[in-house]
Amino acid sequence: MELLQTTIEKFKNTIRLTDEEKLSATHEALSKIDINSKIFIDTYPRAASINNIYPGTKNGEDWDDWTVGFWTGMLWLSYELTRKPQYRKVAEFQMRAYKYRIENKIHVNHHDLGFLFSLSAVAQHTVTGSEVAKEVGIKAADHLIGRFKEKGEFIQAWGDLNDPNAYRLIIDCNMNVPLLFWATEVTGNPIYREIATKHINTAAKVVLREDSSTHHTYYFDPATGNPLKGVTAQGFSDDSAWARGQAWGVYGFPLAYSYTKDPKFITLYKKVTNYFLNKLPQDNVCYWDLVFSDGSNQERDTSAAAIAVCGILEMDQYLEDSDPDKAIYMNAAHAIMKSLIEKYTTKDLDYSNGLLTQAVYSKPHNSGINECNIWGDYYFLEALVRINKKNWKKYW
């Protein structure tokens, strides 16, 4: 599958990041995390900053938040980069809260168990071999499969499982089903993998439009399981492509391929990635919805850009060297990262405890607009780890 000619030309001769640029950006990110690791110990950064500063929340104060795992994941990434024990100690300390939360079923009745536990429990087990973390991750996977709907074959995103008005999936769950694939790997029980595969296959059928843009959320008939309609919750309109949702596709389908080796996920990856790249503005950092571009006077979403980079770097290892698009995608990843590093980090904001500026949580809800957000920071750091460590073992 070919990219549109404009994109081929745009990324044909991209200058890759130099070793100096990679190391400098990594050092700058770690300098912020080093400070934060002394503050956010029994607290977590909230999802979005206020004036580029993250407030903190203590365990129990904000249990309904789906984003705390990103901070714990950043600690594990930092530990892998530096082997400094302070990062590991804080991350291991925080495992107690994740264990308590899943064992007591505190605000886990949603599909975001992967965001919470892949970056805490799975990460800790991957890096240290911790049996406690492994058991916590399995318990989270057990809870997640309880949201699987046989009629329609998908994991319900939000809401009461008996509410017919909540009978839907969202594209974000592309990043949550890897928790289930992992659970099968560590337990040998095929049920997790079976449910993950059914969900991602259903998502692949319904979230992509003919032009390869994506729906944010898709509803099903609870009586029959038949697909009904695609709408948005955080995008500009039901017909537009919410940038972060498209980025979940850019990253989620490579992850599905990594576990299933089903070649259709390479095709799907190329479709959603081509669309994403061809909607980028001049400086390669997307606006919050891909319907907007230069001159729109809309906000960027650096978090979506960082997510997409991670997806491209994940799929790069599976594309054949003979694939004519392989180098184009890698050029694009470097071009996006170069722009993020040069224009959108907090390196010139000494007072900020975030990594990336100009992210958007939810524009329709007037939440976290033009701020740092914690998942954008996480994916930016993960992209730096992937660029610096060729054989990094992912947490997803």
Side-chain angles (χ1 to χ4, degrees):
M1 177 180 300
E2 294 182 355
L3 292 164
L4 296 178
Q5 189 64 33
T6 52
T7 301
I8 290 177
E9 293 302 319
K10 182 172 185 178
F11 297 117
K12 198 170 186 178
N13 299 305
T14 298
I15 298 174
R16 301 283 181 96
L17 289 167
T18 65
D19 289 341
E20 182 179 356
E21 287 173 319
K22 288 184 275 188
L23 289 172
S24 176
T26 303
H27 175 76
E28 177 61 34
L30 287 170
S31 70
K32 299 279 186 175
I33 297 166
D34 188 56
I35 295 170
N36 288 342
S37 68
K38 298 176 179 65
I39 300 170
F40 298 115
I41 299 173
D42 62 344
T43 66
Y44 302 84
R46 289 194 180 272
S49 66
I50 299 174
N51 296 323
N52 293 310
I53 299 175
Y54 289 114
T57 175
K58 287 188 175 182
N59 293 333
E61 284 184 355
D62 202 15
W63 281 118
D64 61 339
D65 193 273
W66 60 277
T67 66
V68 294
F70 292 109
W71 168 238
T72 309
M74 291 171 71
L75 290 168
W76 284 116
L77 291 174
S78 301
Y79 174 70
E80 288 206 78
L81 281 169
T82 67
R83 292 294 161 177
K84 287 184 177 180
Q86 70 193 65
Y87 301 128
R88 176 173 175 169
K89 286 179 180 178
V90 175
E92 289 179 330
F93 174 79
Q94 291 178 350
M95 179 51 56
R96 303 173 195 180
Y98 291 100
K99 184 174 185 291
Y100 182 84
R101 182 170 179 174
I102 193 61
E103 288 180 347
N104 292 278
K105 303 294 190 293
I106 300 173
H107 287 295
V108 290
N109 291 325
H110 51 73
H111 74 143
D112 288 320
L113 278 293
F115 290 126
L116 287 169
F117 292 93
S118 290
L119 298 181
S120 56
V122 176
Q124 183 169 326
H125 178 257
T126 299
V127 177
T128 73
S130 166
E131 286 298 313
V132 171
K134 175 183 171 182
E135 290 306 312
V136 171
I138 293 168
K139 287 178 181 178
D142 286 336
H143 190 71
L144 182 57
I145 62 175
R147 299 191 67 79
F148 181 70
K149 296 295 187 180
E150 290 288 350
K151 291 181 179 180
E153 297 193 334
F154 67 95
I155 295 170
Q156 183 177 309
W158 306 312
D160 190 305
L161 291 173
N162 297 314
D163 181 0
N165 296 317
Y167 211 77
R168 61 172 169 173
L169 60 76
I170 66 172
I171 195 170
D172 311 43
C173 200
N174 279 21
M175 302 300 298
N176 290 314
V177 293
L179 174 67
L180 302 182
F181 286 117
W182 169 84
T184 287
E185 287 190 345
V186 297
T187 66
N189 187 339
I191 187 63
Y192 307 106
R193 179 186 177 91
E194 290 169 4
I195 288 175
T197 302
K198 286 179 179 179
H199 174 90
I200 200 72
N201 283 337
T202 298
K205 291 176 185 176
V206 300
V207 298
L208 260 73
R209 303 187 183 101
E210 288 187 9
D211 65 355
S212 298
S213 64
T214 55
H215 294 288
H216 179 192
T217 179
Y218 211 94
Y219 283 90
F220 297 79
D221 185 331
T224 65
N226 293 332
L228 292 179
K229 61 179 179 179
V231 301
T232 194
Q234 290 175 248
F236 174 71
S237 71
D238 291 342
D239 298 323
S240 68
W242 177 49
R244 192 157 77 245
Q246 193 79 17
W248 293 138
V250 174
Y251 199 174
F253 291 129
L255 290 174
Y257 179 80
S258 76
Y259 287 104
T260 67
K261 295 301 185 287
D262 186 336
K264 77 180 177 188
F265 291 117
I266 293 181
T267 301
L268 289 167
Y269 161 79
K270 287 192 171 189
K271 286 182 176 182
V272 296
T273 304
N274 294 355
Y275 187 92
F276 185 89
L277 295 179
N278 279 294
K279 294 295 182 177
L280 292 181
Q282 186 174 356
D283 75 350
N284 299 315
V285 174
C286 57
Y287 288 82
W288 68 274
D289 193 293
L290 298 179
V291 73
F292 300 117
S293 191
D294 293 320
S296 63
N297 200 33
Q298 292 288 320
E299 293 85 5
R300 311 277 180 157
D301 185 6
T302 55
S303 74
I307 294 163
V309 169
C310 289
I312 293 171
L313 295 175
E314 172 67 16
M315 185 54 91
D316 181 69
Q317 62 193 304
Y318 309 120
L319 296 179
E320 299 289 342
D321 289 340
S322 59
D323 189 315
D325 297 333
K326 183 181 173 78
I328 297 291
Y329 290 132
M330 187 55 73
N331 284 349
H334 276 255
I336 296 170
M337 282 297 286
K338 192 175 183 67
S339 188
L340 289 175
I341 290 168
E342 291 178 351
K343 296 178 59 179
Y344 297 95
T345 67
T346 60
K347 62 180 180 293
D348 296 325
L349 300 177
D350 292 336
Y351 61 87
S352 177
N353 57 2
L355 301 188
L356 286 181
T357 62
Q358 297 190 45
V360 171
Y361 190 155
S362 178
K363 181 68 181 285
H365 298 92
N366 196 31
S367 175
I369 299 171
N370 200 23
E371 292 284 353
C372 310
N373 69 40
I374 197 63
W375 60 85
D377 288 358
Y378 169 83
Y379 287 107
F380 179 66
L381 185 63
E382 183 186 303
L384 289 172
V385 170
R386 284 178 174 274
I387 287 172
N388 284 298
K389 291 171 67 76
K390 282 189 175 181
N391 297 316
W392 178 68
K393 190 173 181 182
K394 63 181 180 288
Y395 307 152
W396 304 100

